[in-house]
Each structure stands twice: as C-alpha cells, then as structure tokens.
C-alpha cells in the first residue's frame, strides 16, 4: 500500500471486484455485485459467492480512512451491495469522512468501529458475525436494519447524532450473555428497534434517548439469563413504546430517516403485509429509575417470566403509563415507588395471586383503557398487590377517587382499608372492629348509621310506650310521649324536654343509658357523612 493516495489511480494489487469498487467510490455511485436472484443474493444463505463478488476488508478501510479525492463535481462515498467481505473490517479509532452504505453484504469476520468518529453509516440486510462499536461517535445515523449479527452488538457509551435503527434485525449473543450491550448510549433522536429479534440480553442501562424509543412487534428472548431487557436509569424525552406492530403504526415502522434513507418493509414476503405482531419478552424486563417525559406504553405485550423474574418498573417517573399487557402467568410485576400522573390500564393486565408489588406507587388518575374497572375490581387489584396489609395503597386510591369527585368510591376504599387493618389486630381489636363494621361501617356509610338510628328509635319508642317511667316531679311533668322520649335519648345536644322529666328505674335505666351511648356514636357518624357531602358540594 505504498501508492500515492493523493492520486485517483487505484493500486495495482486490487482484484477486479475491488477495482470496480474503487472507481465507484471516486464517482460516489453504487457498486452492485448482486445477481438479481433473491436466493443467490441472501447473505444468510448457503450459496458460495465467488471471487467476482469478494472484496478485502482492508481495501474498504483504505477507502474510508485514507481514500483518494473524488472526481470533480462528485462526492466520494461507498455504496456497496452484494459483496463478500473477507478478514476483519477494523475502523477502530478512525475519523471517517465519507458516507458509506453496505447492502446485502456478507462479512466473514467481525466489524470493529470502537472509538471511531463517522458521519453516517448504514449496514442494511447484511450478515455480520459481530459488531464492536463501543464509544462510537456519529454525527448522523447508524442504521442496522434487517442485519443478522449472531455474536452480538456492542455500543457501550456510543453517541449517535440522530437515529439508531435496528428494525427487523436478528441479533444473538453467541458465547456471551448479551446480544446488545448499549449501556450509557446517547441517541439524539429516535432509537427504532421494531420487529427486532434478540437471543440474549438487550442492555440499555443509563441510556439517553433524545426523542422516542420504539419496539413495535419486537421479540426479546434470553432463556439462559435473568433479563431479556435490562434498562435501568434510562431517560427517554418523549415516548417509550413496547407494543404491537400493525397497520396503524406503519409510518413509524418504515424508517424514513432521512427521506431517502433506509426503507424497512413491514413483514417478510411470505406473510401478510399488515399482520399484527406482538411485543414479546421471554425473560425479565427492568426499567427501574427510568424517566419517560411523555409516556411509557406497554400495550398488548406478551411476557414469559420465570418465578424469580420480574417486569420491574421501580421508581419510574412519567406523565402517562399505558399498561395493558397480557398478565404474565409467572413472575412479578413491580411498581414500587413509581410516580405516574395518569394510569391507563385494564383488569386482565394485572396478576391476581400476590405477584403484583406497588408499595409507594403514586398516581393522580387511574382510567380503564378497555372495558370497565369498577371500585370492586380496583380493591381486588390492591389486595393482590398487598399480601401484607399496608395503608398507603388504599389511601392513594381513595385520594384519586376523591380528587375525581367520586366520594362514594373513596369511602368504599377506606372502608376496605379498615377491614384489611382489622385482620392484623389482636382478638379484642378484631371484635371491636367487627362491631364497628356491623353497626356503622367504620363511619364510612352514614346511611347505615341512620338506618340503625331509625330502628333503635322505633324499638325504644315501643319499649318505653309499654313501660313508661315515673315522673321526676308529680304534676309538673309534660304530657308523656314515648317517641319523643326515645328521640331525646338517642339525639345528643337536641332536647324535647322529655328526657329530663322522667325517671327510669331498674333495668329501664340501663336501656336508657345504652340508647344515649348508641345515639352519640350513630349521630356522630351521620353528621360526619353529611359534613362530607356539604364540603364536596
């Protein structure tokens, strides 16, 4: 490689295929080595690509790192399609000025771009054993759609100037645990990973995404490890979506960045173009401490978890959580410490056998997205989330209902809280609790207290009507009236002059004393309910 690269003449040691690539680079035009037959051009196929389709990796490195000047009026760039690239393509640490795009190419060895700086790179529908690109910096896009990368991708601490596209890629982990290692990555705009398939952990710990994260119809599997998606402390400025790929989302799946960029078809040619594909996750999914500044969407997703695995949303913060997956049969759903303004959910999305943890979970609104989620079902939801009694989830739900003007539902929740609390009390406390519940429903059902008052009034009026007490002062007592006397005993503060004029004796005195005590309890309960009603109005 001692030739003067300031000239445009290709080195004498190039093969015929490499010579054609060199000339196309000078002209900024496409160099296509494909046959036009899909089976023969498949980079994942078994067909042998001969010398007429083979280029050496060092020639590509030479063009990208130290390429000759373009022809006048042209921009030097590498557009290569259908080539087999031998040896390791190593661009590590280099500053790459030319734009390059490789389509349906087959790499014999890994591609290395660690700590390189490039403008825009597109590897589309290629077979790449492994991509090493830790601390890569791009001014524009990094596109890897429909690529097959069996040994994994490393993008740790990379900085992507605009979009990172992994749509329809198939990425394995080889002998490693991680299929995609992208801890600390910064993507200035979108991370598009729709219809992606991974076998191994997808790690995005501490990632920062300047626009949105799309995983529509993505399939994440890690059968040999704990996590399929490990993304704690991730920040997404707009929407993070883990949802279906379907016709309504086709604009987000086509990948038109830039306008003449990398189009991505929705499905393969052998399937219906608009067949819905679900987001699937086999293995744990961790989004702990994440910040989603517009919304987090986990919609109609499928989770296959083991007993020790979790769908974990601990301490996340987002204005809107759209949570409507199919409830996992095993594993935990964890929302402990999460803070959400609006929760959109459905009944069938939550585990019902104490596999839901949400201590400290706060929300301002809870709106059923599908069907009806009544207060009884909400209480079952809380019961599943609190195998051991905790007052905070009940108080949070009651506060949400009260803020929405649903005071009846708020009282129902607080009553359920007292009943759960009663289970933790000693025997005496339980007996007293059952008595309060049976009589006045802990004060949360004032109509029940009013009914008891009416029953006691009628019963006591009949009792004292049949057993009138003696007057305190003969000849000075008012006309005897059993209903008014009973009402005087039951109603505190208010008096009709009957209770002070008559003197019950014996067990009648105990009956009167009991009525006075019950009257205080019941009247206070009714008054409290009326006060709540007036305050709400």
């Amino acid at each position: 490689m001692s030739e003067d690269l300031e000239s445009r003449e290709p080195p004498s040691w190039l093969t015929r295929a490499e010579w054609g690539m060199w000339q196309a680079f000078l002209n900024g035009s496409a160099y296509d080595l494909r046959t036009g037959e899909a089976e023969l051009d498949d980079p994942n196929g078994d067909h042998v690509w001969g010398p007429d389709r083979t280029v050496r990796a060092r020639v590509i490195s030479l063009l990208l790192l130290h390429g000759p000047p373009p022809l006048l009026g042209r921009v030097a760039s590498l557009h290569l399609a259908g080539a087999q690239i031998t040896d390791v393509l190593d661009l590590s640490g280099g500053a790459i000025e030319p734009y390059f795009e490789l389509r349906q190419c087959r790499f014999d060895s890994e591609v290395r771009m660690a700590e390189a700086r490039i403008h825009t790179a597109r590897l589309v529908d290629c077979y790449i054993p492994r991509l090493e690109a830790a601390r890569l910096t791009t001014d524009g896009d990094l596109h890897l759609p429909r690529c097959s990368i069996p040994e994994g991708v490393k993008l740790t601490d990379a900085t992507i100037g605009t979009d990172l596209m992994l749509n329809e890629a198939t990425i394995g982990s080889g002998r490693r645990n991680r299929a995609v290692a992208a801890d600390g990555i910064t993507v200035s705009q979108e991370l598009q990973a729709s219809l992606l398939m991974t076998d191994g952990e997808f790690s995005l710990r501490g990632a920062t995404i300047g626009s949105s994260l799309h995983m529509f119809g993505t399939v994440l599997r890690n059968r040999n490890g704990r996590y399929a998606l490990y993304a704690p402390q991730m920040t997404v400025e707009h929407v993070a979506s883990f949802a279906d790929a379907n016709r309504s989302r086709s604009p987000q799946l086509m990948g038109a960045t830039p306008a003449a960029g990398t189009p991505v078809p929705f499905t393969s040619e052998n399937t219906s173009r608009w067949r819905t594909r679900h987001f699937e996750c086999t293995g744990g999914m961790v989004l702990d401490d994440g910040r989603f500044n517009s919304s987090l969407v986990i919609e109609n997703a499928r989770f296959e978890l083991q007993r020790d695995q979790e769908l974990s949303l601990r301490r996340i913060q987002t204005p809107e959580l759209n949570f409507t997956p199919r409830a996992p049969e095993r594993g935990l759903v964890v929302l402990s410490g999460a803070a959400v303004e609006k929760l959109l959910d459905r009944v069938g999305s939550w585990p019902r056998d104490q596999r839901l943890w949400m201590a400290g979970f706060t929300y301002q609104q809870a709106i059923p997205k599908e069907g009806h989620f009544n207060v009884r079902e909400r209480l079952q939801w809380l019961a599943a989330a609190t195998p051991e009694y905790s007052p905070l989830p009940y108080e949070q739900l009651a506060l949400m209902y009260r803020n929405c003007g649903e005071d009846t539902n708020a009282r129902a929740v607080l009553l359920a809280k007292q009943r759960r609390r009663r289970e933790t009390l000693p025997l005496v406390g339980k007996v007293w609790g059952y008595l309060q519940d049976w009589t006045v429903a802990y004060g949360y059902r004032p109509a029940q207290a009013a009914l008891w008052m009416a029953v006691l009034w009628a019963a006591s009026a009949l009792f004292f009507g049949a057993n009138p007490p003696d007057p305190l002062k003969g000849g000075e007592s008012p006309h005897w009236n059993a209903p008014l006397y009973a009402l005087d005993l039951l109603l505190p503060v208010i008096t009709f002059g009957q209770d002070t004029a008559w003197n019950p004796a014996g067990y009648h005195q105990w009956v009167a004393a009991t009525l006075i005590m019950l009257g205080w309890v019941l009247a206070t309960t009714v008054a409290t309910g009326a006060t709540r009603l007036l305050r709400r109005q």
Side-chain angles (χ1 to χ4, degrees), residues 60-84:
I60 295 176
S61 300
L62 179 64
L63 288 174
L64 295 178
L65 294 171
H66 307 288
L71 298 176
L72 295 179
R74 299 287 185 175
V75 176
S77 57
L78 180 62
H79 299 261
L80 179 62
Q84 178 156 346

Side-chain angles (χ1 to χ4, degrees), residues 145-403:
R146 301 193 299 282
C147 285
S148 178
I149 312 175
E151 297 289 329
V153 174
K154 187 173 183 179
L155 288 166
T156 307
D157 296 319
T159 301
I160 309 301
T162 49
D163 296 338
L164 171 61
M165 181 181 287
L166 300 171
N167 291 354
E168 285 199 294
T170 301
I171 305 176
S173 58
R175 296 183 297 266
R176 300 170 176 83
N177 180 51
R178 292 180 175 179
V180 180
D183 294 348
I185 191 172
T186 299
V187 181
S188 295
Q189 294 186 19
E190 292 191 347
L191 197 169
Q192 300 180 26
S194 297
L195 303 172
L196 168 70
M197 295 186 66
T198 63
D199 184 5
E201 182 181 305
F202 193 144
S203 183
L204 284 167
R205 179 172 57 87
T208 300
I209 300 170
S211 181
S212 298
L213 167 64
H214 297 310
M215 286 194 174
F216 297 121
T218 295
V219 177
L220 305 177
R221 293 194 178 104
N222 187 7
R223 300 188 185 279
N224 299 319
R226 186 169 184 180
Y227 306 113
L229 177 62
Y230 185 70
Q233 303 172 352
M234 178 169 64
T235 300
V236 180
E237 287 299 323
H238 295 296
V239 181
S241 300
F242 306 91
D244 290 346
N246 52 36
R247 183 178 189 131
S248 65
R249 294 191 170 111
S250 59
Q252 296 164 297
L253 297 169
M254 295 307 291
T257 52
T262 309
V264 180
F266 180 75
T267 57
S268 65
E269 295 177 357
N270 298 325
T271 61
S272 172
R273 178 172 175 79
W274 298 116
R275 181 173 64 87
T276 296
R277 290 178 56 178
H278 305 299
F279 174 85
E280 298 179 17
C281 184
T282 302
M285 176 171 164
V286 176
L287 300 176
D288 296 350
D289 300 295
R291 302 294 182 271
F292 308 94
N293 294 333
S294 180
S295 64
L296 171 61
V297 179
I298 304 177
E299 181 180 282
N300 207 27
R302 273 56 172 162
F303 291 93
E304 185 179 332
L305 306 176
Q306 300 302 316
R307 295 186 183 278
D308 61 341
Q309 294 175 336
E310 301 176 352
L311 167 54
S312 181
L313 308 178
R314 289 179 174 88
R315 299 176 298 279
I316 66 164
Q317 295 184 14
T318 181
E320 181 177 293
L321 172 59
N322 185 336
F323 191 86
T324 57
R326 187 171 64 184
E329 295 180 359
R330 293 182 296 275
L332 300 175
V333 174
V334 185
L335 280 160
S336 302
V340 174
E341 294 180 18
K342 182 188 294 184
L343 172 64
L344 303 174
D345 62 348
R346 65 183 176 193
V347 177
S349 294
W350 302 103
R352 292 184 174 273
D353 51 355
Q354 300 182 353
R355 292 184 294 112
L356 171 61
W357 294 0
M358 55 182 194
F361 175 41
T362 60
Y363 49 93
Q364 297 179 17
Q365 292 179 282
I367 303 171
K369 188 171 182 183
E370 299 177 16
H372 187 59
F373 210 150
N374 58 38
V375 66
R376 179 180 55 81
E377 291 166 329
R378 284 287 179 201
L379 290 173
Q380 292 174 351
W381 176 59
L382 288 188
T386 53
E388 296 183 359
Y389 167 71
S390 175
L392 291 179
Y394 289 90
E395 292 168 2
Q396 170 66 45
L397 182 58
L399 178 62
M400 186 274 294
Y401 278 128
R402 191 176 295 117
N403 290 339

Side-chain angles (χ1 to χ4, degrees), residues 32-49 53 81-84 103-106 124-127:
D32 195 341
L33 297 174
R34 291 175 293 188
T35 65
E37 296 184 31
E39 184 178 356
L40 297 178
D41 293 332
D42 183 3
N44 297 294
D46 297 327
H47 291 277
V48 176
W49 293 359
R53 297 183 64 176
Q84 178 156 346
R103 289 179 174 269
Q104 288 190 288
C105 290
R106 179 187 293 172
V124 181
D125 199 10
C126 294
Y127 174 85

Side-chain angles (χ1 to χ4, degrees), residues 436-475:
Q436 292 183 84
D437 193 357
W438 184 60
T439 55
V440 297
Y442 289 96
Y444 293 113
R445 290 179 181 169
Q448 182 173 320
L451 179 61
W452 272 109
M453 285 197 71
V455 171
L456 287 174
W457 180 34
S460 58
L462 290 173
F463 175 81
F464 285 110
N467 304 281
D470 297 329
L472 280 174
K473 297 179 181 180

